[in-house]
Amino acid sequence: RSDLLEPGRIDQRDLDVVHGITLALRKNRRAAFDLHWRPLRSVGAVELAEEMFESAQPAAFAGRPCLVPCPEHLVFHAIAHGLDWSPYPRYDWLIDVIKVLRRTAGRFDWDKLAVNAFRYRFGHMVGAALEEGRDKAGIDVPDVVLRRLRRPLAVLERLEARTRLS
């Protein structure tokens, strides 16, 4: 739409190459959101996108109806997206995680987050991020969830983690 995106900024070919784009209202640059049609390119699983859309919740942006991923998918996405590609330590993902957890308070389903993290082989990364969030920002993560996510890695998991970081 012309009020969200400047004409010519993205075309059909871009949709096949990139996984998302940040959109902002021309009249209010603070009203911005990320639109992802392939969440977590590093996971590369069509099932994840399907799960995210199936469990998405209705919302509105600039007076238009849209869908927002459930809190557990938002936290998973913030951690995996924020840590997976960065060659140096950064904490912008932590701000997003804190915001989601504050808004959902006691409704956040820690088990759902852990199941998704393991299903897509990000368990150790999500566990390390939550541990970091607990230590640096006081996030109240249940101990049982941290123990489950921070179990020792198998040999192939260690090799995969090393490959991702290289």
Side-chain angles (χ1 to χ4, degrees):
R1 303 271 314 246
S2 63
D3 55 342
L4 288 175
L5 187 64
E6 294 176 18
R9 184 161 170 224
I10 189 170
D11 65 22
Q12 186 62 41
R13 290 173 303 181
D14 294 321
L15 298 176
D16 295 330
V17 177
V18 296
H19 71 285
I21 189 170
T22 299
L23 301 175
L25 290 175
R26 282 192 193 188
K27 298 173 187 149
N28 182 359
R29 292 288 177 191
R30 289 179 294 210
F33 67 101
D34 288 334
L35 176 65
H36 288 252
W37 45 92
R38 279 194 307 262
L40 291 174
R41 179 179 43 204
S42 56
V43 171
V46 173
E47 309 88 58
L48 176 59
E50 291 171 356
E51 288 171 21
M52 289 179 86
F53 280 107
E54 286 171 10
S55 64
Q57 301 165 352
F61 179 79
R64 293 182 179 89
C66 62
L67 293 173
V68 175
C70 69
E72 296 78 18
H73 281 136
L74 283 172
V75 168
F76 178 59
H77 185 272
I79 290 171
H81 197 282
L83 294 179
D84 195 30
W85 61 269
S86 180
Y88 55 87
R90 44 184 278 227
Y91 293 98
D92 51 340
W93 61 268
L94 183 54
I95 295 165
D96 292 338
V97 169
I98 289 168
K99 284 182 178 181
V100 171
L101 293 176
R102 281 185 183 163
R103 289 184 181 170
T104 58
R107 299 181 327 243
F108 190 83
D109 187 344
W110 291 100
D111 287 329
K112 182 175 181 176
L113 174 64
V115 165
N116 281 323
F118 281 124
R119 180 181 302 136
Y120 298 107
R121 299 194 339 250
F122 277 73
H124 195 266
M125 178 189 287
V126 169
L130 291 175
E131 206 168 62
E132 186 86 359
R134 181 199 62 196
D135 296 345
K136 298 265 193 272
I139 292 177
D140 188 22
V141 184
D143 288 336
V144 67
V145 172
L146 279 180
R147 280 194 304 276
R148 185 173 166 200
L149 290 168
R150 295 294 283 160
R151 65 169 175 65
L153 291 175
V155 173
L156 287 177
E157 290 173 316
R158 284 196 305 271
L159 179 60
E160 182 179 20
R162 241 183 262 135
T163 303
R164 277 188 184 160
L165 292 173
S166 64

